[in-house]
Amino acid sequence: MQMFSQNPAAAYRRVALEARIEASGSAELTRICLEEAHAALGQAMRAVERPLPGHSEAVSGSLPGCRDALSRAQTILLWLAGSVAPDHPLRPSLTAFYGGLARQIGANCLQTDAQSIAQIQSDIRDVLEAAG
């Protein structure tokens, strides 16, 4: 219970997300995952753009929050790549797409590139917009 008392807003978001997941079908679950990956990439971008204490400008990828957010986005995309239904007609393309994004995010965990993160986030946003 202490987890809930330390950050009530985070606990509320977590419960709301879990309720949304429980009530969703496979298409909505995919959308939720893409939205969460998109949000995690946004968190990574904010961490990349934020200067470290004692520095006059951002030090790319040096904040733990950046790597944590990238790791979250990568985990989501790896899960999506592995969860495409075997009989889905676009399975090879979706698996390659999600896997490719996950690899790009992994590369950013090693050497953070804000432009690359922004492009990955844009690709996910394009899919979300196309899905309606």
Side-chain angles (χ1 to χ4, degrees):
M1 280 303 190
Q2 186 178 13
M3 171 182 69
F4 291 110
S5 65
Q6 289 178 347
N7 188 341
Y12 176 79
R13 283 191 302 273
R14 201 170 22 261
V15 169
L17 176 61
E18 288 174 12
R20 189 172 168 209
I21 288 169
E22 288 293 324
S24 68
S26 61
E28 180 64 15
L29 183 56
T30 299
R31 179 173 199 69
I32 292 168
C33 288
L34 289 170
E35 289 171 354
E36 290 294 313
H38 186 271
L41 292 169
Q43 291 171 343
M45 286 296 293
R46 286 187 296 281
V48 167
E49 294 167 350
R50 186 179 324 128
L52 284 176
H55 292 81
S56 59
E57 56 188 52
V59 179
S60 193
S62 58
L63 295 172
C66 179
R67 289 219 172 85
D68 291 347
L70 289 173
S71 177
R72 177 173 164 75
Q74 183 183 38
T75 299
I76 291 167
L77 287 161
L78 287 171
W79 182 85
L80 284 169
S83 67
V84 179
D87 59 342
H88 194 290
L90 297 176
R91 184 176 201 274
S93 297
L94 290 172
T95 301
F97 177 72
Y98 296 140
L101 292 179
R103 277 189 299 282
Q104 290 176 38
I105 293 169
N108 273 281
C109 287
L110 300 173
Q111 180 65 41
T112 307
D113 175 9
Q115 189 173 18
S116 173
I117 294 169
Q119 182 59 54
I120 298 164
Q121 193 178 31
S122 175
D123 291 345
I124 292 172
R125 184 174 41 254
D126 290 347
V127 171
L128 286 167
E129 289 173 2

